[in-house]
Amino acid sequence: MKHSFLDRYSDGDSFMHRLDPRTKFGTALLFILAVALTPPGSWRAFGLYLVIITALLLPARVPILYILKRSLVVMPFVAMLAIFIPFFKGGEVAGSYNVWLWQLTVTYSGIQVLINILLKSWLSILSLIWLTSTTRLPDLLQGLERMRMPRVLVMLMSFMYRYLFILVDEVMRMKQARDSRSFGGRSASGGWQIRTVGNMIGTLFIRSYERGERVYAAMSARGFDGNIRTLNHLSFRLSDALFGMGYSLILIFVGIFSQLY
Amino acid sequence: MHIPDGFLNVATVATTYAVSAGGVGNAVRIANKKLGEKQVPLMGVMAAFIFAAQMLNFPIAGGTSGHLTGAALASILLGPWASVLIMTCVLIAQSLIFQDGGLLALGANILNMGIIASFSSYYVYRLIMSLMGNNKRNMLIGSFAGAWIATVLSASAAAVELAVSGVSPLHLVLPAMAGVHALIGIGEGLITGAVLGAVLAARADLLQLKPI
């Protein structure tokens, strides 16, 4: 079935795809950190960050429309968390409204903080999209392991990634079966729907658990000793060193610029 | 509620990362001791299970739909430390694959939805089972209460983190988050109970596993 929403485009080939996962993870994190440290209201710095991340996303040959869609899908949730901010910051009043029992006051500094937070979130999301749409998750995990992430966690995540697609397939089949039996119709009672979803997840749990047991049995029959060996080795090349150093310098420069002006 | 990047200040990011690193580190240690490395495949499939279960949404009033978070389910089925590990994997994957929850906010999200949710739901469930007796009805009540409390507590923790970061004042954001999640928690509790009921009917032996 279709689950192309999971790390789509990460299998492509471009300069960005060929960089070492460690380089990309480190610089993506540095970008998010630099954005987070930008003082509110330094619009020029935000503009520069947008230019930088666009310059990184374009050579990755990932469709712009996909990136925009992808980054805006999460924004409603971000906005939900941030929506109250303009009403509760002190400062010069921009407008005042009477809504039923409440007197709502919007301040300029509140609006500034709101836009500031939304911009920061969006830029950080773009940086994450750059990272994950140019890096295959297994490679990223291998890179994280070399960067001292605990082995158990890395292995858990590798197995999770491997079986995710199978279980998502399973869920989609169950969903299709459920929806073709008119789930969620107006006549359906809430209790019945809860029980249906409960049964589905329960079934999914049992199937997953049994699958996990079979996987483990099959692996130990083939001599699994807790280590995963791979022929796919990471290599930190000259281009990684140059890209990493250049990008970091630019970020540090913009960071200092945003603190000064 | 996943906290995105851009909301937390540096002090909060550092503190929550330190606490979560300690908690997850301890979970890794305990898992290494109790599981050996042999059962890692099983736990990985369980993490994929939680991820996939979150995709099954159900309609709530007013055209909206909700889905399971799964920390309570994982900790009741497999034990709190196992649940911390599983939720950590799920949260990292959600942040990387769906950009749901930020990378800098990951420490806070693991603390709220991994550590706090797993332990609160597990101990509330255990408490109710030991006080009221071990039978099916109490198991359903316990899992409902555990999942509800986990949802409200993790939302409250998120509210405190947002307030400490100066995003909005505590006396507003805490009741707002706790209130909304008191409603969401009802759905989480009912589904968790329904799942346990289904597992009990089909493979009751899976509920007798030794918790990790």
Side-chain angles (χ1 to χ4, degrees):
Chain A
M1 287 194 189
K2 277 200 312 201
H3 27 56
S4 54
F5 56 89
L6 293 170
D7 74 344
R8 201 173 171 187
Y9 299 112
S10 63
D11 240 348
D13 185 36
S14 73
F15 171 73
M16 295 298 170
H17 285 86
R18 280 191 296 272
L19 284 174
D20 189 278
R22 286 165 286 183
T23 317
K24 284 184 276 190
F25 182 79
T27 48
L29 190 59
L30 191 65
F31 179 89
I32 295 174
L33 196 64
V35 168
L37 289 174
T38 310
S42 18
W43 308 121
R44 264 178 299 181
F46 285 126
L48 283 175
Y49 285 126
L50 187 61
V51 170
I52 292 173
I53 196 70
T54 314
L56 290 185
L57 280 165
L58 284 180
R61 292 197 211 137
V62 181
I64 307 277
L65 211 63
Y66 166 81
I67 295 169
L68 279 179
K69 237 168 74 184
R70 207 47 207 273
S71 61
L72 293 177
V73 161
V74 200
M75 289 312 280
F77 298 101
V78 177
M80 231 158 60
L81 265 184
I83 198 69
F84 297 109
I85 296 167
F87 301 106
F88 302 120
K89 283 273 173 209
E92 199 189 333
V93 174
S96 183
Y97 311 95
N98 278 311
V99 181
W100 195 37
L101 290 175
W102 288 291
Q103 167 90 8
L104 292 178
T105 317
V106 179
T107 59
Y108 283 116
S109 67
I111 293 176
Q112 196 190 41
V113 172
L114 172 74
I115 296 176
N116 181 57
I117 281 186
L118 291 182
L119 267 176
K120 281 183 178 182
S121 297
W122 189 58
L123 285 168
S124 309
I125 288 169
L126 285 179
S127 183
L128 278 177
I129 291 181
W130 171 70
L131 173 66
T132 42
S133 56
T134 60
T135 319
R136 292 166 58 237
L137 200 67
D139 291 345
L140 184 59
L141 289 176
Q142 210 186 345
L144 288 175
E145 187 178 359
R146 297 280 189 84
M147 293 168 93
R148 299 290 164 84
M149 184 163 153
R151 282 251 336 271
V152 175
L153 220 50
V154 173
M155 296 226 309
L156 275 177
M157 290 203 62
S158 318
F159 280 108
M160 170 176 152
Y161 180 72
R162 182 150 306 180
Y163 289 99
L164 197 56
F165 297 91
I166 297 175
L167 295 192
V168 168
D169 261 357
E170 189 106 53
V171 162
M172 284 179 164
R173 280 196 297 272
M174 290 166 107
K175 248 175 151 169
Q176 202 166 37
R178 174 190 77 176
D179 293 342
S180 61
R181 288 170 178 79
S182 79
F183 179 81
R186 198 167 294 170
S187 59
S189 75
W192 178 74
Q193 297 189 0
I194 293 280
R195 224 173 313 128
T196 309
V197 174
N199 281 334
M200 287 164 77
I201 297 179
T203 309
L204 186 69
F205 169 73
I206 292 167
R207 285 184 194 165
S208 314
Y209 194 91
E210 288 172 348
R211 186 186 292 278
E213 283 179 329
R214 287 198 303 276
V215 168
Y216 170 58
M219 287 179 71
S220 43
R222 286 162 182 78
F224 177 63
D225 59 355
N227 292 306
I228 294 188
R229 294 163 183 83
T230 167
L231 289 174
N232 189 4
H233 291 296
L234 301 179
S235 56
F236 194 85
R237 283 183 293 261
L238 182 66
S239 57
D240 288 300
L242 291 177
F243 175 84
M245 272 176 6
Y247 189 15
S248 308
L249 280 177
I250 292 174
L251 286 178
I252 291 168
F253 181 76
V254 177
I256 293 171
F257 167 83
S258 75
Q259 300 291 334
L260 293 179
Y261 298 101
Chain B
M1 177 59 85
H2 295 71
I3 302 177
D5 278 332
F7 282 78
L8 301 180
N9 63 12
V10 175
T12 314
V13 166
T15 316
T16 50
Y17 253 103
V19 175
S20 294
V24 174
N26 202 35
V28 166
R29 215 169 44 79
I30 287 176
N32 272 336
K33 210 162 62 188
K34 287 204 180 167
L35 289 178
E37 286 186 2
K38 59 174 192 147
Q39 284 199 19
V40 166
L42 178 61
M43 297 278 284
V45 177
M46 287 291 98
F49 154 71
I50 293 290
F51 203 106
Q54 291 185 344
M55 296 183 62
L56 279 171
N57 42 0
F58 49 91
I60 317 176
T64 56
S65 70
H67 70 78
L68 196 73
T69 343
L73 184 62
S75 67
I76 291 170
L77 284 170
L78 303 164
W81 289 110
S83 170
V84 167
L85 277 184
I86 288 174
M87 290 310 288
T88 302
C89 290
V90 170
L91 289 167
I92 292 176
Q94 279 172 335
S95 172
L96 289 179
I97 299 177
F98 293 114
Q99 289 79 45
D100 197 3
L103 202 55
L104 286 182
L106 191 59
N109 285 329
I110 290 177
L111 176 63
N112 304 339
M113 282 178 284
I115 298 173
I116 291 177
S118 301
F119 278 94
S120 58
S121 55
Y122 181 74
Y123 284 110
V124 166
Y125 172 76
R126 286 277 133 183
L127 186 72
I128 288 179
M129 290 286 272
S130 62
L131 284 182
M132 295 168 61
N134 192 343
N135 61 40
K136 190 187 168 191
R137 195 178 60 98
N138 292 339
M139 199 187 82
L140 295 183
I141 295 173
S143 58
F144 175 84
W148 186 82
I149 284 174
T151 311
V152 174
L153 277 185
S154 57
S156 307
V160 170
E161 284 148 14
L162 290 174
V164 168
S165 300
V167 174
S168 24
L170 187 66
H171 65 94
L172 291 165
V173 71
L174 183 60
M177 287 285 272
V180 169
H181 285 80
L183 291 178
I184 295 177
I186 294 175
E188 177 90 13
L190 288 176
I191 295 281
T192 305
V195 174
L196 286 182
V199 173
L200 191 69
R203 286 274 315 256
D205 58 311
L206 289 185
L207 286 171
Q208 308 304 323
L209 297 172
K210 215 168 155 233
I212 298 161

